[in-house]
Amino acid sequence: MTPLHPHQPPHQKPEACAFVIFGVTGDLTHRLVLPSLYNLAAGNLLPDRFCIVGIARKGMSSEQLRVNLMEGLRKYATRPIEDEVAQRLLQCVTAIEADPKEPDSFDELKERLAKLEAARETHGNRLFYLATPPAAFAPIAQQLGRVGLLKEDGKAWRRLVVEKPFGTDLASAKKLNDQLLELVTEHQIYRIDHYLGKETVQNILVLRFANGMFEPIWNRHHIDHVQITVEEKLGVGTRGSFYDATGALRDMVPNHLFQLLSLVAMEPPARFDAHTVRSEKAEVLSAIQPLTEEEALLNSVRGQYKAGLVGDTELPDYRNSKDVNPDSATETYAALKLTIDNWRWAGVPFYLRTGKALGAKRTEVAIKFRQAPFAMFSCTPIDTLAENYLVIGIEPTQSITLQFNTKIPGPTIRTDGVQMRFNYKDYFQAEPATGYETLIYDCMIGDNILFQRADSVEAGWKAVEPFIEAWKKAGRDGLHSYEAGSEGPKAAADLLARDGRSWRKLA
């Protein structure tokens, strides 16, 4: 099988710019940011005039930083490293000290950056990447704003990339938005969510809107319900302190799962540009039916894993994990039932689930179509009819699967469920990637279609706030346990069973 259009137009190269990384020696930079920059360099997709400025700890020279980054690249690269490409990338790295607790250091950063920009001929275009803990977002941005490094003068662009989590609840998200928007305009902020860098996630838009066969049936008349699943085999690992203060709901739902929900449920955009697409996504999240705290408890399940075997790995109880409170009521599993109040989706439930220490790693969107009338099959066992699903697989397999019924060969009418599957790896050849390449490239060319806007962030937190408050008040009451390596708590199955539905089984 070959692509219908094998010769695609080449990507445009970004304009010259300085790429300034706060948290340059941290885990995120080593695991994702630098390997992505390397992959872009290998694909000839970095600017011709380019420099990387690493905001490093005191006493670190540029050469020491290059050695540090090279060690990280060798450890986390997604493809074999070509020395010539790596050296070309790392030779443009410069270490500069700056700490928001020492405001004078930002005045020095401004001076050194100006000299570097002149030498590198980057024309004043700057991308500031905050690969730091969330508590540092506002202080760093405020110091950059104070010294004028974020101000656009009409000749050069200045962009601010902010990692998740963007707030921990509605109030903190609003506060952070307000703090940043005092310094920059919305078009300068790139709130990054690595899920939107995944090819299959981006393909949801193409699947829906570039194929005339799907959009006419993409509504309440033909779709019974939607399941969105993000499940992990890993336990809490070494992130006990962070995770115990966050939990599965805050960690995954307002960002990753809601990004998938908004792509599936949004109205067709009038134009395929950032403003229009992001406006439609924000509309969907704003249309999620608000719940009381009592309704939130009724339409949700939370669980916490206990000791069990995941593959060949024995995991201890969550509460026995390092840096976790022995009496913790933090959920490691969350399942929600949501509805969207608009014409397209009225009456169609959206079931979301996410959890850790489960039997398989899987991220998928499953669209369940309404059952066909059974009258013509009255002489056959109705329960043999397979459910009609369109499944968009995101991890570990990137695929699109359509499940439908067909007749078994023979003189009598007997049916069986079959699948048609499209696997990306069978159709397209692509180098292994981190998933950040597209996002970083889009930051440099100024395309923020894949990035959250302030109203979307706040709408997401508003939708989950009743669950957060209800679970906080309930404490350990209603917190279900499940064995590590299982499919999650039984109560999650009951959540759908009472509607006469069931989750797709783990593979």
Side-chain angles (χ1 to χ4, degrees), residues 25-195:
T25 59
D27 183 62
L28 177 64
T29 300
H30 281 173
R31 285 189 304 108
L32 294 170
V33 179
L34 194 72
S36 298
L37 287 171
Y38 172 85
N39 292 343
L40 289 170
N44 198 28
L45 289 173
L46 288 182
D48 292 327
R49 293 181 297 280
F50 182 66
C51 65
I52 298 173
V53 177
I55 306 304
R57 59 181 179 268
K58 287 186 177 181
M60 176 172 274
S61 67
S62 295
E63 185 55 39
Q64 288 172 324
L65 178 57
R66 293 184 192 113
V67 171
N68 175 276
L69 293 177
M70 189 64 198
E71 290 174 353
L73 183 59
R74 293 193 186 283
K75 183 175 181 180
Y76 294 109
T78 61
R79 61 186 74 171
I81 296 173
E82 297 179 26
D83 286 340
E84 189 273 330
V85 175
Q87 293 306 319
R88 187 171 74 245
L89 177 66
L90 294 175
Q91 63 86 25
C92 69
V93 170
T94 301
I96 299 179
E97 295 174 15
D99 186 336
K101 295 177 183 177
E102 300 176 9
D104 290 348
S105 65
F106 278 75
D107 293 283
E108 184 177 348
L109 168 63
K110 180 180 181 179
E111 292 179 13
R112 291 196 61 186
L113 186 57
K115 293 177 182 177
L116 189 60
E117 288 173 336
R120 294 280 184 174
E121 298 181 324
T122 58
H123 308 314
N125 296 322
R126 301 167 189 152
L127 190 152
F128 296 96
Y129 198 118
L130 307 190
T132 65
F137 293 164
I140 290 172
Q142 286 163 349
Q143 289 302 320
L144 290 172
R146 179 185 65 81
V147 298
L149 286 173
L150 295 174
K151 184 177 178 59
E152 294 189 325
D153 56 13
K155 296 179 181 178
W157 51 258
R158 287 33 189 301
R159 296 170 188 149
L160 189 66
V161 182
V162 184
E163 276 284 344
K164 86 169 192 66
F166 200 91
T168 57
D169 54 21
L170 180 58
S172 60
K174 281 184 172 179
K175 181 180 179 181
L176 183 53
N177 275 329
D178 290 343
Q179 289 173 319
L180 296 183
L181 290 170
E182 287 178 358
L183 304 166
V184 291
T185 60
E186 180 62 48
H187 83 269
Q188 292 176 265
I189 305 175
Y190 290 71
R191 299 171 187 84
I192 200 164
D193 184 335
H194 72 268
Y195 261 56

Side-chain angles (χ1 to χ4, degrees), residues 178-466:
D178 290 343
Q179 289 173 319
L180 296 183
L181 290 170
E182 287 178 358
L183 304 166
V184 291
T185 60
E186 180 62 48
H187 83 269
Q188 292 176 265
I189 305 175
Y190 290 71
R191 299 171 187 84
I192 200 164
D193 184 335
H194 72 268
Y195 261 56
L196 288 179
K198 298 179 184 296
E199 290 288 348
T200 329
V201 173
Q202 296 170 47
N203 196 46
I204 294 174
L205 289 175
V206 178
L207 178 72
R208 284 191 58 190
F209 302 129
N211 295 293
M213 69 189 82
F214 291 120
E215 189 56 27
I217 60 172
W218 209 267
N219 55 56
R220 59 190 169 91
H221 298 299
H222 301 280
I223 291 177
D224 179 77
H225 71 274
V226 177
Q227 298 181 19
I228 300 177
T229 299
V230 179
E231 298 182 329
E232 300 178 85
K233 295 174 70 173
L234 295 175
V236 70
T238 59
R239 301 172 69 223
S241 179
F242 164 79
Y243 199 87
D244 207 41
T246 305
L249 180 70
R250 280 188 170 98
D251 190 37
M252 300 296 289
V253 175
N255 37 69
H256 298 334
L257 275 80
F258 275 7
Q259 287 300 307
L260 295 174
L261 182 148
S262 61
L263 290 171
V264 169
M266 65 184 280
E267 291 298 311
R271 290 176 301 279
F272 198 72
D273 60 43
H275 174 75
T276 309
V277 170
R278 296 202 297 176
S279 293
E280 295 295 352
K281 289 170 64 180
E283 283 290 327
V284 168
L285 296 180
S286 296
I288 293 175
Q289 184 177 25
L291 302 177
T292 65
E293 290 180 15
E294 292 75 19
E295 290 170 332
L297 287 177
L298 182 64
N299 289 284
S300 67
V301 171
R302 58 195 175 110
Q304 189 182 83
Y305 68 82
K306 58 184 181 181
L309 196 64
V310 181
D312 297 327
T313 304
E314 183 75 37
L315 288 185
D317 283 0
Y318 170 75
R319 292 177 190 165
N320 291 336
S321 301
K322 183 181 178 183
D323 298 326
V324 170
N325 182 345
D327 297 319
S328 175
T330 298
E331 78 286 352
T332 62
Y333 182 100
L336 313 177
K337 175 186 175 182
L338 302 173
T339 54
I340 297 173
D341 284 336
N342 63 18
W343 181 91
R344 181 182 293 268
W345 298 112
V348 177
F350 283 71
Y351 299 104
L352 281 60
R353 59 175 168 171
T354 183
K356 286 192 169 293
L358 296 166
K361 177 180 176 64
R362 176 174 64 163
T363 299
E364 70 172 35
V365 176
I367 293 97
K368 167 69 167 59
F369 292 97
R370 293 189 181 278
Q371 203 75 34
F374 292 130
M376 69 176 292
F377 300 107
S378 57
C379 297
T380 66
I382 298 304
D383 58 5
T384 64
L385 289 177
E387 296 181 299
N388 296 146
Y389 271 108
L390 177 67
V391 182
I392 302 167
I394 297 166
E395 284 186 314
T397 302
Q398 299 185 59
S399 62
I400 299 172
T401 303
L402 184 62
Q403 181 173 301
F404 57 95
N405 290 286
T406 188
K407 178 183 175 296
I408 298 173
T412 59
I413 298 294
R414 293 184 302 144
T415 64
D416 195 7
V418 296
Q419 293 184 345
M420 293 175 60
R421 173 171 291 190
F422 155 70
N423 286 321
Y424 272 73
K425 65 180 178 60
D426 296 337
Y427 200 92
F428 298 109
Q429 291 185 345
E431 292 283 355
T434 67
Y436 264 51
E437 291 83 359
T438 296
L439 300 175
I440 290 175
Y441 174 80
D442 284 353
C443 289
M444 290 191 289
I445 66 170
D447 183 355
N448 46 23
I449 198 169
L450 295 178
F451 299 84
Q452 291 195 76
R453 209 166 58 187
D455 52 350
S456 288
V457 171
E458 293 175 17
W461 280 114
K462 185 176 181 181
V464 300
E465 193 170 40

